[in-house]
Amino acid sequence: MTHGTSGPGNRGPARPSLRDGPGAPGTLTAVPHADQSPATTPEPTTPGAPRPTRVRPVPLTELAGQLGVRAPEGAGAPEAGVTGITHDSRAVRPGDLYAALPGARFHGAAFSEQAAKLGAAAVLTDPAGAERAAATGLPVLVVDDPRGRMGALAAAVYGEPGRDLLRIGITGTSGKTTTAYLIEGGLRAWERSRASDDRPAALTGLIGTVESRIGDERIKSERTTPEATDLQALFAVMREKGVHSVAMEVSSHALVLGRVDGCVFDVAVFNNLSPEHMEFHSDMEDYFRAKAELFTKERSRLGVVNLDDAYGRRLAEGESEVPVVTFSAAGSPDADWRAVDVESGLFDSTFTIEGPDGVSVPARSPLAGPFNVANALAAVVALVAAGADPKTAADGVAAVAGVPGRLERVDAGQGYLAVVDYAHKTDAVESVLRALRKVTPGRIHAVLGCGGDRDTTKRAPMGAALARLADTAVLTSDNPRSEDPLAILATMLAGAAEVPAAERGAVLLMEDRAAAIAAAVARAEPGDTVLVLGKGHEQGQDIAGVVRPFDDRRVLREAIERGAGTHAVTKHRNDQG
């Protein structure tokens, strides 16, 4: 058992390299979504993230040297070769280094015996877990902050896979998922433009809230940004399968908790910042500082920053450690890249992108709303910053068919617009409602809830926003988790009640989310819009710790179809009468 002091978790250079050809297939755990084509890979046989099939064993002595600790002693320790790393004792595979981390309820060292039985080669832990880890008889590496060392160690175990990938990271409060999908669409177009008879188009990757993708293969996501051990394994699988470039969401949690340790992004994108995750961050300044970490020399090489956002301007005006390129969807002349001549439609927006040296490119956001013009512009600028031709980038972004759960239409032949969107914070709710108001000739009937065990400060403002901007505001449950759904609704209702009666729509309170969606549909007439907010792509609802199947898109479609049947029966009776 060897001890050492903690060191930085993300250290060492990285080089983007677009390789000449695809590699041999690796392994992939793919979980199809209901709205996606079936996955072509088999069901998983081992828990945990996908792993590469070919890993050079790294001597434990080499990893100890990287940590700055003395090599472990004991039977087999000097010869031990590590072929994987995981923080989840259930996902240990033979040859793994098990990272036993301190947790809120349990210390990971308590599960060292399980890791040993599954074939772990060694344990990485802190002084508090050292004795329990050593009791397994495995070699133990001890550092003060194992989480802070885990990312760089995982990168080393898998042969620094990120160095062979062009990586674009996206952070901000709203729009990360949409921007990531748009960038990935642009990466595909860029790879196709460089393909030839001798060099087929390389695969692209996506890592984010909804899913991760390796080419057309999909992996269901558990969180916005995977844990460092899973992330580096995923990079290794991507490299093995021939991916050359990847778009990735980077959350504030990931930056604070070291999930992207071991990563240096070629381009870092900042969309915007508004109140969110206040149960995790002490205040907005703390939230901003977490996001700004992506724009340090240890995390990225170049920033792409939204000049229309106050926090983005702070980065552009000197609070970024790396050079920045700015963009403005509002057309600010101070920005390097601007959107002008914006024309918003019911389902998309068209505009012109103006850039340095007189560059002018026609562009299209495949999703409606001014905020999606900003997302599309951010995607194009990020791609150009990475080296893509502006027109190729803009065409690739425009060709994206849509983003799961982001202004996603549900069409069952009804005479009104029905939309599901992931908006679950005040600014996002307001932006979606204002955008749809511009293209809705009739009334808007909107459904919204707030999640339990999360930021409580946004509940009243969200209730107020819905009441002020929708003709019908149906307050309902989201994922109440361990909280009383009625207590959450009471706070939302209090916010709605603060809106003067003359300025608010009809407010309905329905705890059951399916009933709330049905109530909104029942009020809809031709020319109206039904908007279901908050859960977007999610396919479950967490109530008192039990996750029940629930997909807003499916429930909305079923409500529309039932309503159409009821309408047909009523019309027939009226005709007969």
Side-chain angles (χ1 to χ4, degrees):
M1 183 165 59
T2 59
H3 296 256
T5 57
S6 64
N10 175 30
R11 306 296 181 261
R15 297 172 290 102
S17 172
L18 298 180
R19 298 183 299 154
D20 293 332
T27 59
L28 180 67
T29 302
V31 182
H33 292 180
D35 62 330
Q36 298 166 341
S37 59
T40 57
T41 47
E43 288 297 312
T45 56
T46 307
R51 301 277 195 97
T53 58
R54 299 182 303 278
V55 180
R56 176 187 70 85
V58 180
L60 193 59
T61 52
E62 184 177 320
L63 297 180
Q66 179 173 330
L67 293 170
V69 301
R70 187 165 50 87
E73 300 175 354
E79 296 80 25
V82 174
T83 54
I85 178 172
T86 182
H87 62 288
D88 184 347
S89 62
R90 299 164 298 181
V92 167
R93 302 184 188 186
D96 274 2
L97 174 65
Y98 169 53
L101 308 176
R105 297 175 58 198
F106 302 103
H107 197 293
F111 307 100
S112 297
E113 186 65 37
Q114 179 184 27
K117 289 179 179 179
L118 290 173
V123 179
L124 169 71
T125 192
D126 62 2
E131 186 174 344
R132 280 177 290 182
T136 63
L138 292 174
V140 181
L141 299 172
V142 183
V143 294
D144 289 340
D145 179 20
R147 178 178 286 279
R149 312 302 299 275
M150 190 171 65
L153 213 60
V157 167
Y158 294 116
E160 304 293 343
R163 293 185 180 181
D164 296 314
L165 303 171
L166 172 69
R167 291 175 289 183
I168 301 177
I170 306 101
T171 199
T173 303
S174 300
K176 292 191 299 297
T177 298
T178 297
T179 304
Y181 271 87
L182 297 179
I183 289 175
E184 198 262 349
L187 289 173
R188 290 189 178 216
W190 187 16
E191 294 292 358
R192 287 194 300 269
S193 74
R194 299 191 295 173
S196 65
D197 292 340
D198 299 327
R199 181 188 183 278
L203 298 181
T204 59
L206 174 75
I207 301 174
T209 302
V210 178
E211 62 187 353
S212 291
R213 294 202 306 212
I214 300 178
D216 292 326
E217 297 175 278
R218 296 176 168 93
I219 313 163
K220 185 177 180 180
S221 293
E222 294 184 3
R223 54 173 60 92
T224 297
T225 309
E227 191 59 79
T229 53
D230 295 338
L231 178 61
Q232 294 297 329
L234 183 54
F235 283 155
V237 174
M238 287 183 172
R239 178 177 63 183
E240 197 171 71
K241 295 181 76 69
V243 169
H244 281 191
S245 52
V246 58
M248 176 178 162
E249 295 181 54
V250 184
S251 67
S252 60
H253 288 69
L255 290 159
V256 172
L257 298 175
R259 293 177 190 160
V260 290
D261 285 359
C263 297
V264 180
F265 291 92
D266 299 283
V267 179
V269 181
F270 179 86
N271 278 344
N272 51 66
L273 202 72
S274 61
E276 174 72 333
H277 303 306
M278 289 299 110
E279 81 286 355
F280 182 77
H281 299 287
S282 58
D283 53 30
M284 282 298 292
E285 186 62 21
D286 181 61
Y287 187 25
F288 171 66
R289 288 297 166 198
K291 297 289 191 182
E293 178 68 19
L294 186 59
F295 299 85
T296 61
K297 294 177 181 178
E298 295 168 344
R299 302 286 190 195
S300 64
R301 296 186 177 85
L302 178 68
V304 170
V305 171
N306 182 4
L307 204 62
D308 296 332
D309 182 86
Y311 291 97
R313 287 195 297 275
R314 286 178 58 177
L315 289 171
E317 291 170 358
E319 296 192 44
S320 168
E321 289 185 9
V322 299
V324 299
V325 177
T326 59
F327 68 90
S328 168
S332 170
D334 297 329
D336 298 310
W337 296 83
R338 302 165 297 282
V340 299
D341 302 327
V342 178
E343 294 186 9
S344 298
L346 183 60
F347 305 119
D348 63 1
S349 297
T350 59
F351 56 101
T352 299
I353 298 175
E354 292 182 349
D357 302 319
V359 172
S360 180
V361 179
R364 170 180 170 268
S365 165
L367 289 85
F371 50 94
N372 280 315
V373 172
N375 292 334
L377 179 61
V380 173
V381 175
L383 289 159
V384 173
D389 171 73
K391 186 177 187 308
T392 300
D395 289 348
V397 167
V400 174
V403 179
R406 273 66 179 174
L407 283 180
E408 186 172 348
R409 292 177 61 201
V410 174
D411 189 353
Q414 74 276 10
Y416 51 87
L417 179 64
V419 179
V420 169
D421 192 79
Y422 188 56
H424 57 281
K425 56 192 76 77
T426 308
D427 285 1
V429 168
E430 291 177 347
S431 295
V432 171
L433 284 165
R434 293 184 194 282
L436 290 175
R437 178 65 69 190
K438 292 180 180 179
V439 296
T440 300
R443 299 177 300 162
I444 295 178
H445 313 284
V447 178
L448 176 68
C450 289
D453 301 335
R454 297 294 186 269
D455 182 5
T456 61
T457 63
K458 66 181 183 180
R459 294 173 182 174
M462 285 174 65
L466 201 73
R468 181 181 294 108
L469 297 174
D471 298 287
T472 305
V474 188
L475 307 180
T476 189
S477 293
D478 188 279
N479 292 310
R481 299 182 177 90
S482 70
E483 289 194 60
D484 182 348
L486 288 180
I488 298 173
L489 285 171
T491 306
M492 294 184 70
L493 182 61
E498 293 178 0
V499 180
E503 299 176 14
R504 69 175 180 244
V507 178
L508 307 180
L509 196 69
M510 306 189 76
E511 179 182 346
D512 183 276
R513 190 172 181 89
I517 292 171
V521 167
R523 288 182 167 236
E525 298 178 355
D528 288 356
T529 291
V530 172
L531 175 62
V532 182
L533 294 161
K535 290 174 61 61
H537 64 281
E538 294 177 1
Q539 298 185 38
Q541 187 178 25
D542 187 338
I543 302 175
V546 178
V547 180
R548 300 167 172 83
F550 197 101
D551 186 330
D552 278 351
R553 297 163 296 186
R554 180 175 296 172
V555 173
L556 177 55
R557 179 178 293 277
E558 291 171 352
I560 292 169
E561 290 171 346
R562 286 197 305 272
T566 301
H567 177 73
V569 170
T570 301
K571 183 177 184 302
H572 174 74
R573 288 174 177 171
N574 289 340
D575 291 344
Q576 294 298 312

